[in-house]
Amino acid sequence: MLKLIRRYLEAGLMEGGVASARTEGTPQGGPLSPLLSNILLTDLDRELEKRGHCFCRYADDCNIYVGSERSGQRVMAAVTAFLERQLRLKVNAEKSAVARPWQRKFLGYSISWHREPKLRIAEPSRQRFAEKVRKALRAGRGRSLKRLIEDLNPLLRGWISYFRHAESKRVLGELDGWIRRKLRTLLWRHWKRNHTRAQNLLRAGFSAARAWQSANNGRGPWWNGGAPHMHEAFPKSWFDRMGLVSLLDTQRRFLLVS
């Protein structure tokens, strides 16, 4: 094990296709970090098992489950003392708390408050994902919708592959609808002129009167992206034919395979 750790530490660093020697430290997020944390925190696992606690730990992220707030405060103090005195580690007080399970997150997941709790996507994880989608769409302005969807799909596939175990479907359905609205909004922006908008709505099967009325409604792109005329012209089935990954449909396929 020591030889393996030394080889990790002595491995070079590649930047821009050029390899260079590394004289100290290890890259953040590298494969050595979880190995070292597991070696060091095995003592914590054994201590928690000895005390009979239910817990989950991944690298340095750990949740301990007890029956009451008083027990939680006691265990928090005892575990903090063990980590600081025995293992000489510093506990991040800002990220640590005694709280209900559904108020905390673990590896991006949380659980619902029901009597039979369900695994769900934590709100901060959803917010970070939404921001990544916004950045991807901003970076893709000026591209065709087909090209934009092709660039967006790897992000969607990777995210839902990680969160495929979520049992709450509402968030996935809401995110799917929000992404389609963002894309409809971009279409409305691309068309720019009311004449072009009316022509595209005519091609989608609208009557001339309704197409012109919808094109000249005077509302902004975001409103039109969620308006009935854009929903009817570009429903979910249209985006499916364009190849857009649906988070909810992909998760359902994962469940069928498993």
Side-chain angles (χ1 to χ4, degrees), residues 73-253:
Q73 296 291 353
R74 186 181 67 252
V75 171
M76 169 73 82
V79 171
T80 300
F82 176 82
L83 290 170
E84 293 179 346
R85 295 173 188 172
Q86 299 294 324
L87 301 184
R88 300 184 183 277
L89 298 173
K90 184 177 180 180
V91 176
N92 190 329
E94 294 182 359
K95 294 184 178 180
S96 302
V98 176
R100 297 286 191 181
W102 52 85
Q103 295 172 333
R104 304 295 294 170
K105 64 183 180 68
F106 184 67
L107 303 180
Y109 282 93
S110 185
I111 62 173
S112 67
W113 52 268
H114 301 90
R115 181 178 293 274
E116 294 184 3
K118 293 184 177 181
L119 196 62
R120 62 184 178 88
I121 300 167
E123 181 60 22
S125 302
R126 188 198 66 79
Q127 293 175 358
R128 284 194 297 270
F129 170 71
E131 185 56 33
K132 288 180 180 179
V133 171
R134 289 190 189 97
K135 289 181 178 178
L137 294 179
R138 282 197 295 267
R141 285 181 180 176
R143 300 180 187 175
S144 68
L145 189 69
K146 185 173 181 60
R147 175 67 185 278
L148 190 57
I149 288 174
E150 289 174 353
D151 293 342
L152 187 61
N153 277 341
L155 170 62
L156 304 181
R157 286 195 191 95
W159 192 80
I160 192 55
S161 294
Y162 181 81
F163 286 106
R164 65 185 181 274
H165 301 294
E167 298 175 275
S168 178
K169 309 297 189 294
R170 179 180 58 83
V171 172
L172 299 179
E174 290 175 353
L175 285 171
D176 274 337
W178 175 75
I179 291 169
R180 290 193 294 269
R181 182 173 181 178
K182 294 284 285 185
L183 294 174
R184 293 187 189 104
T185 300
L186 284 176
L187 276 177
W188 194 262
R189 288 182 185 276
H190 286 170
W191 295 340
K192 294 182 180 179
R193 298 167 55 212
N194 289 345
H195 176 77
T196 307
R197 292 165 178 167
Q199 291 298 317
N200 280 289
L201 292 176
L202 282 170
R203 293 190 190 98
F206 281 46
S207 66
R210 189 181 176 199
W212 283 102
Q213 182 182 11
S214 300
N216 291 277
N217 60 61
R219 302 287 190 125
W222 178 248
W223 184 90
N224 279 281
H229 55 271
M230 290 296 282
H231 270 272
E232 186 176 334
F234 304 100
K236 178 183 179 300
S237 58
W238 185 86
F239 285 103
D240 290 341
R241 291 194 297 272
M242 289 291 289
L244 179 67
V245 169
S246 166
L247 302 175
L248 188 57
D249 291 349
T250 304
Q251 197 240 17
R252 285 171 175 164
R253 287 195 291 271

